[in-house]
Amino acid sequence: MNNTVLQSHLTLCCELWAEHSPPRFSEVYTMKPTLPLPAFPTIMLQTTTLTSASWESDDACGLVLLLPEGNRDAVEKTPWADALRLRMDAFPEKTNPVLTTTPNGLRTAIGFIGEGVASFKLLTLARKLVDPLLTERPRQIKVVSLLDDSVAARAMAQALVAAVHAAVFRLPKITGKPEDLSTLQTVSFVGDYAGAEFNHALATAEGNNLARWLTQLPGNYLTPALYRNYAETLVKQEGWDADFIDLKRLEKLGAGAFLSVTEASPNRDAGVLHLSYRPKGSKGPALALVGKGICFDTGGTNLKVGDGMLGMHGDMQGSAVALGTFLALTRLGFKQLLAGAGRKPHWPERGEVQRRHHCTEWHYH
C-alpha cells in the first residue's frame, strides 16, 4: 500500500469515527497524576575470601552455596558436610537448587553450576536461589563459592546481583496499602570471584527495573503526556538533552500518516520525543535505540475478549526497554552516540475507552 492510499484510508477512518464518537476521553475516566519515578534498591555488595569465620552468621542471614555440577564432594568444605549431604541425597539428582536449613538454623539454597552455562540459565538459577531466602526477610545474604572455576563464580555472582535487585525492587503501587519493604541490606560474596566488579550488573539492573516499572503502570497512569513527563524528569536527573517535536512541527514536516491517527483525540499531546547524550570522550557514529511505545492499545478493530485486553497496557514496553537501556548506558559511561523519539494518540474503538499510541526512540550521543 503506497503512502497516498494509506493516508486516504486513515482519513476515511477518522471521518467515519467522527460520526460515531463516544464521550470525550475526559468524560470516560480521569487521567491520574504522575507517580514519582521509582527509587532503585540500595544494597551493599561485599567480596571476601573464604575463611573459617565465613560460616558464622546470625539468624537474620540467608546462605547461598555454589557447588560444581557433578561434584557434590565440595560440600565437605562446609562445617555441616554430613547434614547437607543427607539433605541433597533426599532430592533427585537433577534438582537445582536444593533448599534446606543448616543444623544451626540457617536457611540455605544450594546451586550447582556447570561450565559454560548460558547467561539466561544463570539468571534463572539466580532467581530460584534468592527468592526463597528473601521470603525469610534476611538482613544479609551470604554467597559462598566452592567452585573450582573463578570465572563461572564471577558470572554467577553477577547474575545473583541482577536477581536480587529485580526481587527487592518495588513495582508501582496504586492502592493505599503500605509498602512491604525489603529488609535486605547486604549481599556478601565469599570465595574466589576473579576480581568481580558489579558496575555492569548494577547498571543493567536499574535499566531493567525502570522498564519493568513503566510497563506495569495502568493505562490511565501512563498517557503520552505522562510518559513524556517521566522521560523529561530523567533528562534533568541524568544530564541528557531533549527535543519534543509536537503536532505543529510534525505538520510542517509533513508527517501525514502520524497526524492522521491523532485527529480523533481530544488531547493534543502527541509528538516525537528525541533524547540524546554525549559523554566526554565519545567517538564514532551515533548508536540509536528505537522502541515502539503504545499506551494501552493501538485502536483498530478490537477482536479481543476481556482477558485479552488485560496486558495491553504493556504495548509500550518496546520504548520502556529502549529508555531503560539508555539509562544503563549512561550509568556505564558508554563512549558512543545514542538516540530515541516520541509518541502519539490513536483513535479509539466505538464504545471503548480513549487510548493513546506513540512510538519512541532514545538517542545517545
mmCIF file of all heavy atoms in Angstrom, residues 308-331:
data_model
loop_
_atom_site.group_PDB
_atom_site.id
_atom_site.type_symbol
_atom_site.label_atom_id
_atom_site.label_comp_id
_atom_site.label_asym_id
_atom_site.label_seq_id
_atom_site.Cartn_x
_atom_site.Cartn_y
_atom_site.Cartn_z
ATOM 1 N N GLY A 308 -8.129 -10.793 27.066
ATOM 2 C CA GLY A 308 -7.110 -10.418 26.101
ATOM 3 C C GLY A 308 -6.684 -8.977 26.199
ATOM 4 O O GLY A 308 -5.630 -8.599 25.685
ATOM 5 N N MET A 309 -7.499 -8.152 26.850
ATOM 6 C CA MET A 309 -7.163 -6.739 26.997
ATOM 7 C C MET A 309 -6.322 -6.472 28.232
ATOM 8 O O MET A 309 -5.764 -5.383 28.381
ATOM 9 C CB MET A 309 -8.444 -5.902 27.086
ATOM 10 C CG MET A 309 -9.254 -5.854 25.803
ATOM 11 S SD MET A 309 -8.338 -5.140 24.424
ATOM 12 C CE MET A 309 -8.126 -3.455 25.000
ATOM 13 N N LEU A 310 -6.186 -7.448 29.121
ATOM 14 C CA LEU A 310 -5.545 -7.193 30.403
ATOM 15 C C LEU A 310 -4.084 -6.767 30.263
ATOM 16 O O LEU A 310 -3.592 -5.978 31.061
ATOM 17 C CB LEU A 310 -5.637 -8.441 31.292
ATOM 18 C CG LEU A 310 -7.019 -8.780 31.825
ATOM 19 C CD1 LEU A 310 -6.984 -10.070 32.629
ATOM 20 C CD2 LEU A 310 -7.573 -7.640 32.667
ATOM 21 N N GLY A 311 -3.408 -7.295 29.286
ATOM 22 C CA GLY A 311 -1.997 -6.970 29.149
ATOM 23 C C GLY A 311 -1.694 -5.878 28.153
ATOM 24 O O GLY A 311 -0.528 -5.603 27.872
ATOM 25 N N MET A 312 -2.736 -5.218 27.620
ATOM 26 C CA MET A 312 -2.500 -4.241 26.565
ATOM 27 C C MET A 312 -1.773 -2.996 27.050
ATOM 28 O O MET A 312 -1.185 -2.262 26.262
ATOM 29 C CB MET A 312 -3.820 -3.851 25.906
ATOM 30 C CG MET A 312 -4.483 -4.970 25.130
ATOM 31 S SD MET A 312 -3.419 -5.708 23.867
ATOM 32 C CE MET A 312 -3.218 -4.338 22.749
ATOM 33 N N HIS A 313 -1.793 -2.750 28.364
ATOM 34 C CA HIS A 313 -1.042 -1.598 28.871
ATOM 35 C C HIS A 313 0.464 -1.800 28.682
ATOM 36 O O HIS A 313 1.237 -0.849 28.782
ATOM 37 C CB HIS A 313 -1.337 -1.378 30.363
ATOM 38 C CG HIS A 313 -0.853 -2.486 31.245
ATOM 39 N ND1 HIS A 313 -1.550 -3.680 31.378
ATOM 40 C CD2 HIS A 313 0.265 -2.619 32.006
ATOM 41 C CE1 HIS A 313 -0.880 -4.476 32.200
ATOM 42 N NE2 HIS A 313 0.218 -3.859 32.587
ATOM 43 N N GLY A 314 0.862 -3.039 28.393
ATOM 44 C CA GLY A 314 2.280 -3.330 28.179
ATOM 45 C C GLY A 314 2.731 -3.152 26.752
ATOM 46 O O GLY A 314 3.891 -3.466 26.433
ATOM 47 N N ASP A 315 1.865 -2.650 25.875
ATOM 48 C CA ASP A 315 2.256 -2.461 24.480
ATOM 49 C C ASP A 315 3.369 -1.432 24.316
ATOM 50 O O ASP A 315 3.984 -1.357 23.266
ATOM 51 C CB ASP A 315 1.044 -2.030 23.642
ATOM 52 C CG ASP A 315 0.457 -3.191 22.861
ATOM 53 O OD1 ASP A 315 0.808 -4.333 23.165
ATOM 54 O OD2 ASP A 315 -0.344 -2.955 21.951
ATOM 55 N N MET A 316 3.594 -0.629 25.356
ATOM 56 C CA MET A 316 4.646 0.387 25.268
ATOM 57 C C MET A 316 6.002 -0.140 25.733
ATOM 58 O O MET A 316 6.958 0.627 25.862
ATOM 59 C CB MET A 316 4.263 1.623 26.094
ATOM 60 C CG MET A 316 3.647 1.359 27.465
ATOM 61 S SD MET A 316 4.631 0.401 28.628
ATOM 62 C CE MET A 316 6.006 1.515 28.842
ATOM 63 N N GLN A 317 6.112 -1.442 25.972
ATOM 64 C CA GLN A 317 7.331 -1.942 26.595
ATOM 65 C C GLN A 317 8.548 -1.873 25.667
ATOM 66 O O GLN A 317 9.687 -1.844 26.150
ATOM 67 C CB GLN A 317 7.128 -3.358 27.102
ATOM 68 C CG GLN A 317 6.744 -4.370 26.072
ATOM 69 C CD GLN A 317 6.264 -5.668 26.703
ATOM 70 O OE1 GLN A 317 6.545 -5.951 27.850
ATOM 71 N NE2 GLN A 317 5.532 -6.451 25.943
ATOM 72 N N GLY A 318 8.344 -1.792 24.375
ATOM 73 C CA GLY A 318 9.493 -1.597 23.479
ATOM 74 C C GLY A 318 10.205 -0.292 23.793
ATOM 75 O O GLY A 318 11.437 -0.234 23.882
ATOM 76 N N SER A 319 9.425 0.772 23.975
ATOM 77 C CA SER A 319 10.015 2.065 24.318
ATOM 78 C C SER A 319 10.578 2.039 25.734
ATOM 79 O O SER A 319 11.597 2.682 26.028
ATOM 80 C CB SER A 319 8.976 3.181 24.185
ATOM 81 O OG SER A 319 7.914 2.998 25.107
ATOM 82 N N ALA A 320 9.933 1.305 26.653
ATOM 83 C CA ALA A 320 10.421 1.217 28.028
ATOM 84 C C ALA A 320 11.781 0.530 28.070
ATOM 85 O O ALA A 320 12.678 0.940 28.816
ATOM 86 C CB ALA A 320 9.416 0.469 28.901
ATOM 87 N N VAL A 321 11.950 -0.522 27.266
ATOM 88 C CA VAL A 321 13.237 -1.208 27.203
ATOM 89 C C VAL A 321 14.301 -0.278 26.615
ATOM 90 O O VAL A 321 15.448 -0.235 27.092
ATOM 91 C CB VAL A 321 13.122 -2.499 26.375
ATOM 92 C CG1 VAL A 321 14.495 -3.087 26.076
ATOM 93 C CG2 VAL A 321 12.259 -3.520 27.107
ATOM 94 N N ALA A 322 13.923 0.488 25.581
ATOM 95 C CA ALA A 322 14.877 1.436 24.991
ATOM 96 C C ALA A 322 15.292 2.489 26.016
ATOM 97 O O ALA A 322 16.478 2.827 26.136
ATOM 98 C CB ALA A 322 14.260 2.101 23.764
ATOM 99 N N LEU A 323 14.334 3.004 26.785
ATOM 100 C CA LEU A 323 14.644 4.020 27.782
ATOM 101 C C LEU A 323 15.484 3.434 28.920
ATOM 102 O O LEU A 323 16.429 4.062 29.407
ATOM 103 C CB LEU A 323 13.354 4.627 28.335
ATOM 104 C CG LEU A 323 13.511 5.793 29.316
ATOM 105 C CD1 LEU A 323 14.312 6.928 28.683
ATOM 106 C CD2 LEU A 323 12.148 6.294 29.772
ATOM 107 N N GLY A 324 15.150 2.214 29.348
ATOM 108 C CA GLY A 324 15.943 1.555 30.376
ATOM 109 C C GLY A 324 17.366 1.285 29.910
ATOM 110 O O GLY A 324 18.324 1.438 30.678
ATOM 111 N N THR A 325 17.523 0.893 28.658
ATOM 112 C CA THR A 325 18.849 0.671 28.097
ATOM 113 C C THR A 325 19.631 1.980 28.035
ATOM 114 O O THR A 325 20.837 2.027 28.331
ATOM 115 C CB THR A 325 18.742 0.062 26.689
ATOM 116 O OG1 THR A 325 17.989 -1.147 26.755
ATOM 117 C CG2 THR A 325 20.117 -0.233 26.101
ATOM 118 N N PHE A 326 18.943 3.048 27.672
ATOM 119 C CA PHE A 326 19.555 4.379 27.634
ATOM 120 C C PHE A 326 20.092 4.764 29.006
ATOM 121 O O PHE A 326 21.206 5.284 29.148
ATOM 122 C CB PHE A 326 18.489 5.382 27.175
ATOM 123 C CG PHE A 326 19.039 6.704 26.719
ATOM 124 C CD1 PHE A 326 19.402 6.898 25.399
ATOM 125 C CD2 PHE A 326 19.172 7.761 27.598
ATOM 126 C CE1 PHE A 326 19.892 8.113 24.969
ATOM 127 C CE2 PHE A 326 19.667 8.980 27.180
ATOM 128 C CZ PHE A 326 20.032 9.162 25.861
ATOM 129 N N LEU A 327 19.299 4.492 30.045
ATOM 130 C CA LEU A 327 19.726 4.790 31.409
ATOM 131 C C LEU A 327 20.940 3.943 31.796
ATOM 132 O O LEU A 327 21.908 4.459 32.376
ATOM 133 C CB LEU A 327 18.579 4.526 32.386
ATOM 134 C CG LEU A 327 18.890 4.750 33.869
ATOM 135 C CD1 LEU A 327 19.174 6.221 34.137
ATOM 136 C CD2 LEU A 327 17.728 4.267 34.744
ATOM 137 N N ALA A 328 20.910 2.658 31.458
ATOM 138 C CA ALA A 328 22.024 1.771 31.794
ATOM 139 C C ALA A 328 23.311 2.205 31.095
ATOM 140 O O ALA A 328 24.388 2.229 31.705
ATOM 141 C CB ALA A 328 21.679 0.329 31.428
ATOM 142 N N LEU A 329 23.213 2.580 29.830
ATOM 143 C CA LEU A 329 24.394 3.022 29.093
ATOM 144 C C LEU A 329 24.957 4.309 29.678
ATOM 145 O O LEU A 329 26.168 4.515 29.724
ATOM 146 C CB LEU A 329 24.046 3.216 27.613
ATOM 147 C CG LEU A 329 23.753 1.935 26.831
ATOM 148 C CD1 LEU A 329 23.241 2.262 25.436
ATOM 149 C CD2 LEU A 329 24.994 1.063 26.745
ATOM 150 N N THR A 330 24.070 5.186 30.135
ATOM 151 C CA THR A 330 24.524 6.419 30.781
ATOM 152 C C THR A 330 25.276 6.100 32.059
ATOM 153 O O THR A 330 26.333 6.671 32.347
ATOM 154 C CB THR A 330 23.319 7.319 31.091
ATOM 155 O OG1 THR A 330 22.605 7.609 29.891
ATOM 156 C CG2 THR A 330 23.764 8.634 31.714
ATOM 157 N N ARG A 331 24.726 5.184 32.854
ATOM 158 C CA ARG A 331 25.375 4.785 34.103
ATOM 159 C C ARG A 331 26.781 4.210 33.847
ATOM 160 O O ARG A 331 27.698 4.386 34.638
ATOM 161 C CB ARG A 331 24.528 3.737 34.814
ATOM 162 C CG ARG A 331 23.190 4.236 35.326
ATOM 163 C CD ARG A 331 23.377 4.948 36.660
ATOM 164 N NE ARG A 331 22.113 5.122 37.330
ATOM 165 C CZ ARG A 331 21.339 6.195 37.209
ATOM 166 N NH1 ARG A 331 21.730 7.193 36.425
ATOM 167 N NH2 ARG A 331 20.197 6.280 37.860
#
